[in-house]
Amino acid sequence: MTTQNAIDWPEKYLPGTGDNFVSNEVIVQGLTAARVWHFLTDTSEWEGYYDNVADISFPQGGGPQLKDGLLFRFGTFGFPPLDAHVVEFRAPGDGAPGRLSWTARQDGGPEERLDVLHAWLVEDLPGGRVRVLTQETQHGRPAAALAQERPNPMLNGHQAWLDGLVSAASK
């Protein structure tokens, strides 16, 4: 029997406690967690394989490589650039999965306020396979509006990110 790892959730962002939650996963052969990790954590690669991200910047310096504690900004899903903060960063290795998560916020009045945690888990599986799991919990009225749309733009957008990530890492 093989068990798979899970996202480590801060209580504030537990799945099902926000206004929107999505979960996407791929398992593919012929890639390693280390190879996928490069394309996930180097933000200079994102716009090359994912068309729903733009205007990536690092207001306090650093980047384009993500790391623990890094502050960055990016636009996605038509929102003005969100202020993001890497809150978990552990590269895959020694049988442990890679773990990456960031919070992202948009301030403003109640109609604009948004607070999210976007988490990633990248792990090698037996048989030359890699598993990439991404999940996001969102709080705020813009998140609630997204959750009501059909098809769900977050679910489809994150699947496009996963598909692009796998494609980029496969080249």
Side-chain angles (χ1 to χ4, degrees), residues 26-39:
V26 294
I27 298 176
V28 296
Q29 277 192 311
L31 286 175
T32 64
R35 177 85 176 147
V36 171
W37 190 253
H38 163 76
F39 286 92

Side-chain angles (χ1 to χ4, degrees), residues 35-51:
R35 177 85 176 147
V36 171
W37 190 253
H38 163 76
F39 286 92
L40 175 60
T41 60
D42 184 346
T43 63
S44 68
E45 301 279 4
W46 289 4
E47 291 182 65
Y49 67 82
Y50 182 49
D51 63 5

Side-chain angles (χ1 to χ4, degrees), residues 8 16 43 91 95 125 137 153 165 168:
D8 295 327
T43 63
L125 298 176
T137 294
L165 176 61

